[in-house]
Amino acid sequence: MSEPGKVTLLAGGIGGSRMAEGFAALDSVELTVIGNIADDDEFHGLWVSPDIDTMIYTLSGRIDRNQGWGVADEGCRAINTLAELGAATWMFLGDRDFGLHIYRTERLRKGDRPTEITFDIADRLGCPVRVVLPTDDTVQTRVKTADGWLSFQRYFVENQHSVPVEEVLYEGIENAKPTPEALTAIAEADLIVFAPSNPVASISPILAIPGITDALSQVSAPIIAISPIIGGKVMKGAADAMMRGLGLRADALGVAEYYAGLARTFLIDTADAWLSAGIADLGLRPVVTDILMPDIEGKKRLARQVLECSAPASWGI
Ligand code: GDP
Ligand code: CA
């Protein structure tokens, strides 16, 4: 059985980068990440790309392991100055992190492609994995609450995703074009994986870019998804709250419904084994295993398990 070499991972921030670390640690894998840009927003005149930065900080060993985002050993002098000046500082940005946002914004103002800028950032920060943007256009998740439409970060950070969600849209998606790099990463992959990321806020804004789902439906490589919800709970984040708000089941079966027709195999936790029959009814092959990644060993174990599931022999045919 030959293991897949080229793995393309669709991923958001924290759950996505945990899975990416697992694959990146396996010698046999050449990993490409297609990251999420729909959380992006402007703060203090600077363009911030939280999920892409979390991915690059994680894979380059700079991440603050305690919180799962931001840079370790951060300072807060810049944000404190902004607060003194009366700026809104509910979105914490550390001093080191500010440097990255300044660099990105300056290059964007020069007219450089966001994908190229991201390659250069990843390269210079020592990220060993190719991180590809799904589009160079601006796509932004908006969340409707009782107070009206909010930017994703206002909903997620300022309101701590505690306000009920009524609707979600991805502003700019209709006119967004996929990058050639993302289409190539999909077409040339031996295996495509949907990370255990927020399906609504992280994976869907990638899938909904015109051309991405078409490209995925044309590949012969296996497509495997992993549930971000274990025992009806998220480890962190707003996936369950957002799914409930959209009238979906906030459990592994709800995530399976989201990916049915695209993914072929779906990894769920042993705690959710009872959902297997429902998942199979959707045309997805359920694989019940331990999908928690508490440490690097857990990340590697899950990555290996995904590779095993992708082997034709594992289909029992
Ligand atoms: P965000 O952009 O930072 O919100 O991160 P993602 O969208 O990539 O991932 C968020 C999801 O990751 C949450 O729903 C978590 O439940 C999930 N998650 C975090 N750690 C783990 C883990 O160890 N295993 C699994 N299966 N899911 C995880
Ligand atoms: Ca995110």
Side-chain angles (χ1 to χ4, degrees):
M1 180 202 316
S2 68
E3 281 198 347
K6 289 187 180 176
V7 175
T8 294
L9 179 74
L10 274 62
I14 293 178
S17 46
R18 284 189 173 171
M19 192 71 261
E21 271 191 295
F23 283 114
L26 303 183
D27 290 338
S28 62
V29 169
E30 190 190 318
L31 179 66
T32 300
V33 170
I34 302 181
N36 172 41
I37 52 96
D39 287 11
D40 291 16
D41 218 330
E42 190 175 88
F43 295 94
H44 319 293
L46 303 173
W47 195 250
V48 178
S49 194
D51 282 3
I52 300 297
D53 295 346
T54 295
M55 185 61 73
I56 293 175
Y57 287 149
T58 302
L59 294 171
S60 63
R62 287 159 193 263
I63 199 81
D64 180 334
R65 294 262 168 213
N66 293 326
Q67 50 187 20
W69 55 271
V71 187
D73 190 24
E74 257 300 10
C76 51
R77 294 184 177 197
I79 200 99
N80 285 347
T81 302
L82 283 160
E84 278 178 50
L85 293 170
T89 53
W90 48 263
M91 180 79 174
F92 179 81
L93 300 167
D95 294 339
R96 293 170 192 270
D97 197 29
F98 262 116
L100 172 52
H101 308 318
I102 291 167
Y103 176 82
R104 171 185 287 119
T105 307
E106 188 178 19
R107 293 229 9 218
L108 287 171
R109 292 213 176 117
K110 282 186 192 151
D112 291 344
R113 278 180 68 209
T115 297
E116 292 288 345
I117 302 170
T118 306
F119 284 156
D120 289 344
I121 291 170
D123 202 35
R124 287 177 194 165
L125 294 189
C127 172
V129 170
R130 189 169 159 82
V131 179
V132 164
L133 301 192
T135 180
D136 284 319
D137 299 313
T138 304
V139 174
Q140 290 177 300
T141 300
R142 305 279 184 222
V143 180
K144 192 176 177 199
T145 69
D147 289 337
W149 287 97
L150 302 177
S151 72
F152 182 72
Q153 299 303 342
R154 275 200 182 274
Y155 161 72
F156 193 73
V157 178
E158 191 182 29
N159 288 290
Q160 297 177 359
H161 49 84
S162 59
V163 285
V165 173
E166 295 174 3
E167 228 178 300
V168 173
L169 65 76
Y170 312 114
E171 199 176 299
I173 200 118
E174 298 81 9
N175 300 317
K177 289 175 292 302
T179 59
E181 289 86 353
L183 293 177
T184 302
I186 291 169
E188 293 185 353
D190 298 310
L191 167 64
I192 294 168
V193 181
F194 297 174
S197 289
N198 183 329
V200 182
S202 295
I203 304 293
S204 221
I206 304 175
L207 298 177
I209 293 166
I212 296 273
T213 300
D214 277 353
L216 285 168
S217 57
Q218 281 164 23
V219 298
S220 53
I223 303 182
I224 298 180
I226 303 129
S227 177
I229 304 184
I230 299 179
K233 289 201 181 69
V234 292
M235 259 41 75
K236 205 172 180 163
D240 53 345
M242 294 182 89
M243 291 177 76
R244 256 192 301 276
L246 299 183
L248 305 167
R249 294 176 62 119
D251 62 7
L253 183 53
V255 181
E257 283 169 358
Y258 224 79
Y259 295 145
L262 208 49
R264 301 281 300 281
T265 301
F266 190 56
L267 271 68
I268 59 171
D269 198 77
T270 40
D272 295 314
W274 63 283
L275 295 169
S276 295
I279 291 167
D281 285 345
L282 296 167
L284 276 164
R285 178 178 61 127
V287 174
V288 180
T289 184
D290 175 6
I291 60 166
L292 197 59
M293 297 176 281
D295 50 24
I296 186 64
E297 283 316 312
K299 292 166 191 168
K300 281 161 75 172
R301 180 188 35 72
L302 187 56
R304 272 194 220 101
Q305 177 109 39
V306 174
L307 293 184
E308 275 166 31
C309 291
S310 73
S314 80
W315 287 78
I317 48 176

